[in-house]
Amino acid sequence: MRVVLLLLCFCNFAFARAQGPTGYWLSQDKTGFFEGLESVEMRVDPSGSGYSGSVYYLWEHGIYYQAVSLEGKLLPGDSIELREIALVANRNGVFPNDCRGIFRLHYSRDDGREYLTGLWRKPAGSKARCADTRVTFYRDIPPDAAWARRPVGGAATRKTRVPVSAPTPATAPLPAPVVAAAKPAAPIAAPPVNEDSVRFATFKSRRDSVELIVNHHSDSARVELYDNGLVDHDRVSLFLGDSLILRNYELLATVHTFTLHLDHPLREQILSLFAENLGDIPPNTALMVIYIDDQRVEVRLSADLITNAKVVFRRLP
């Protein structure tokens, strides 16, 4: 399913010292309301002075899902409230009741991950039989992110002057020269986010599904890419191995054509389709047509927020 991460900076909160609450989050809690689910994924986007987004309840490797829209606001103490608004997508939903509720989550992080931890609660007065649930969302911090190398507090430690007892007049030394106090350091702004680093970290965290193996002799292929069926705002990126070769592209009914250069010494190279979003109708699907040697190969790729779709190019001897 998806991911370009849009990240904000809030200078009055600890969110300013890290990525903040925006972007994609994963939860694998399986208690309370989430019992029986394979995972819960959430996207949070900035919207005016608040937030919008979606939460995705997934099971059976994303074959079955529910997607619910979110609206939210920042709370004091590095926290955020996200209210479930409307069911926007549903495939064989397991929840017979209208269990739309409210997330109240607190932001924290350690050396390798960021967390949103708190409660999902049904609204006051709701008659739905949905249990309040403790939940933790998390995501990895890219290794080259500047905030990963700074303490959570973010501020430099300031030396404190230790009072010294005045010596007696008989042994008093000459007065020391007066040294002007150093000006406090200006606050350090949060560094800009490297979106490609975040994208790569998310790409590597997902599972892979091999959709096609192409045997070939040639050092290049012509590739055509379309949306598969209904155009529903699916956005994708493509990786050849670990190299990003197409960034956050919206699939259309018209073709996007490019040349794929295959390194001759390598016996296998992998072209991966990475879902940036779920589109209007999950999952994210694409039609790929590959021309290599004398072959025309057509494959329909399906990706989501858990799985990348892979095409393996296998060089023949």
Side-chain angles (χ1 to χ4, degrees):
M1 299 169 169
R2 93 251 340 141
V3 244
V4 167
L5 302 181
L6 302 174
L7 307 170
L8 277 185
C9 215
F10 289 86
C11 294
N12 294 330
F13 298 92
F15 289 143
R17 297 186 292 271
Q19 278 185 272
T22 58
Y24 288 94
W25 300 86
L26 173 67
S27 174
Q28 293 180 327
D29 289 348
K30 294 180 173 62
T31 58
F33 173 49
F34 294 166
E35 187 174 0
L37 292 168
E38 182 176 77
S39 66
V40 182
E41 302 191 20
M42 181 171 67
R43 171 177 176 149
V44 182
D45 295 315
S47 178
S49 60
Y51 297 95
S52 61
S54 300
V55 59
Y56 307 92
Y57 299 100
L58 308 167
W59 59 101
E60 294 294 325
H61 306 293
I63 296 173
Y64 306 113
Y65 56 82
Q66 286 188 336
V68 182
S69 61
L70 297 172
E71 289 182 359
K73 61 183 179 181
L74 198 66
L75 300 176
D78 294 353
S79 298
I80 186 171
E81 177 182 282
L82 297 167
R83 183 181 297 269
E84 294 181 310
I85 303 301
L87 184 68
V88 295
N90 185 36
R91 177 184 286 175
N92 294 346
V94 296
F95 306 123
N97 297 308
D98 184 359
C99 282
R100 286 174 288 172
I102 301 170
F103 291 96
R104 287 191 175 88
L105 304 170
H106 175 75
Y107 175 85
S108 62
R109 67 183 176 89
D110 56 26
D111 289 340
R113 280 185 170 178
E114 296 177 290
Y115 303 92
L116 288 174
T117 306
L119 288 174
W120 178 96
R121 287 179 173 168
K122 63 182 180 182
S126 172
K127 296 181 180 179
R129 291 177 295 174
C130 308
D132 293 350
T133 301
R134 295 203 65 83
V135 59
T136 298
F137 290 93
Y138 66 88
R139 64 185 175 197
D140 292 334
I141 299 176
D144 62 346
W147 65 82
R149 301 188 294 274
R150 296 168 57 192
V152 174
T157 56
R158 185 179 297 175
K159 292 183 179 179
T160 15
R161 296 186 63 185
V162 179
V164 179
S165 301
T168 61
T171 59
L174 293 175
V178 177
V179 180
K183 293 182 179 179
I188 301 173
V193 174
N194 185 329
E195 291 188 355
D196 283 346
S197 295
V198 176
R199 179 181 286 109
F200 178 75
T202 309
F203 163 67
K204 297 298 284 185
S205 71
R206 295 183 182 177
R207 293 197 293 262
D208 294 315
S209 173
V210 176
E211 307 290 324
L212 177 69
I213 297 176
V214 180
N215 296 311
H216 68 96
H217 293 95
S218 178
D219 291 341
S220 64
R222 180 163 64 89
V223 179
E224 297 177 349
L225 196 62
Y226 309 81
D227 201 330
N228 182 38
L230 179 67
V231 176
D232 63 338
H233 309 294
D234 287 337
R235 304 189 72 88
V236 302
S237 291
L238 292 178
F239 288 85
L240 182 60
D242 288 341
S243 299
L244 180 65
I245 62 171
L246 182 66
R247 177 187 292 105
N248 193 26
Y249 173 73
E250 182 171 350
L251 297 169
L252 303 171
T254 54
V255 65
H256 174 73
T257 304
F258 60 95
T259 300
L260 191 65
H261 298 284
L262 301 167
D263 291 339
H264 187 77
L266 299 180
R267 174 164 169 73
E268 280 192 356
Q269 288 186 263
I270 296 172
L271 180 64
S272 300
L273 184 135
F274 169 80
E276 296 280 1
N277 66 6
L278 290 175
D280 297 334
I281 306 172
N284 191 316
T285 54
L287 172 63
M288 183 177 287
V289 182
I290 301 167
Y291 298 87
I292 190 167
D293 296 337
D294 295 325
Q295 305 176 75
R296 180 188 184 277
V297 184
E298 186 175 298
V299 59
R300 286 165 175 80
L301 303 174
S302 177
D304 54 35
L305 295 182
I306 299 174
T307 306
N308 303 312
K310 294 172 52 173
V311 176
V312 178
F313 288 85
R314 184 169 293 164
R315 186 178 295 277
L316 295 172

